[in-house]
């Protein structure tokens, strides 16, 4: 649960600092983060259990429609993007 909260809080912080949040935006913005920026163990190959656990939490957020995910080979998540349409549910 802490993993999900950390991901969503990071994305919400980016969103709240944006012109989209302030209503001054003229273009569509997206708010994304790389998992290894939040979780140092994510990209460490010796921490496979951490990788699996973080992926499970990311998959839950994706299934709930809160985020979309870019994946590379071996289920490695390269980018997590906030789904603006679900922002009220995320809060």
């Amino acid at each position: 649960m802490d993993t999900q909260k950390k991901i969503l809080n990071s994305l919400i912080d980016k969103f709240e600092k944006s012109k989209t949040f302030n209503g001054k935006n003229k273009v569509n913005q997206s708010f994304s983060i790389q998992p290894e920026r939040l979780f140092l163990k994510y990209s460490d190959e010796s921490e496979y259990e951490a990788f699996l656990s973080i992926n499970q939490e990311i998959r839950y957020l994706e299934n709930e429609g809160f985020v979309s995910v870019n994946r590379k080979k071996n289920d490695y998540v390269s980018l997590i993007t906030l789904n603006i349409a679900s922002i009220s549910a995320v809060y």
Side-chain angles (χ1 to χ4, degrees), residues 6-88:
K6 191 170 185 177
I7 292 168
L8 292 177
N9 282 340
S10 177
L11 292 169
I12 290 292
D13 287 347
K14 286 184 170 208
F15 172 71
E16 289 178 347
K17 293 176 185 174
S18 73
K19 289 184 178 183
T20 299
F21 181 74
N22 295 328
K24 299 176 183 175
N25 181 20
K26 295 186 178 172
V27 294
N28 289 333
Q29 290 181 296
S30 64
F31 307 95
S32 303
I33 192 150
Q34 298 168 325
E36 63 268 13
R37 290 187 159 255
L38 295 175
F39 312 104
L40 297 176
K41 292 181 177 184
Y42 188 74
S43 58
D44 184 348
E45 292 181 12
S46 67
E47 296 287 348
Y48 188 65
E49 291 299 319
F51 171 82
L52 291 176
S53 175
I54 293 165
N55 269 358
Q56 181 178 4
E57 300 299 329
I58 293 170
R59 193 169 289 110
Y60 175 83
L61 294 174
E62 185 180 26
N63 289 340
E64 290 297 310
F66 299 152
V67 299
S68 60
V69 175
N70 291 354
R71 285 190 175 78
K72 293 184 177 181
K73 65 180 181 176
N74 298 330
D75 208 28
Y76 181 84
V77 174
S78 60
L79 202 63
I80 305 167
T81 304
L82 181 64
N83 181 355
I84 301 295
S86 298
I87 197 73
S88 60

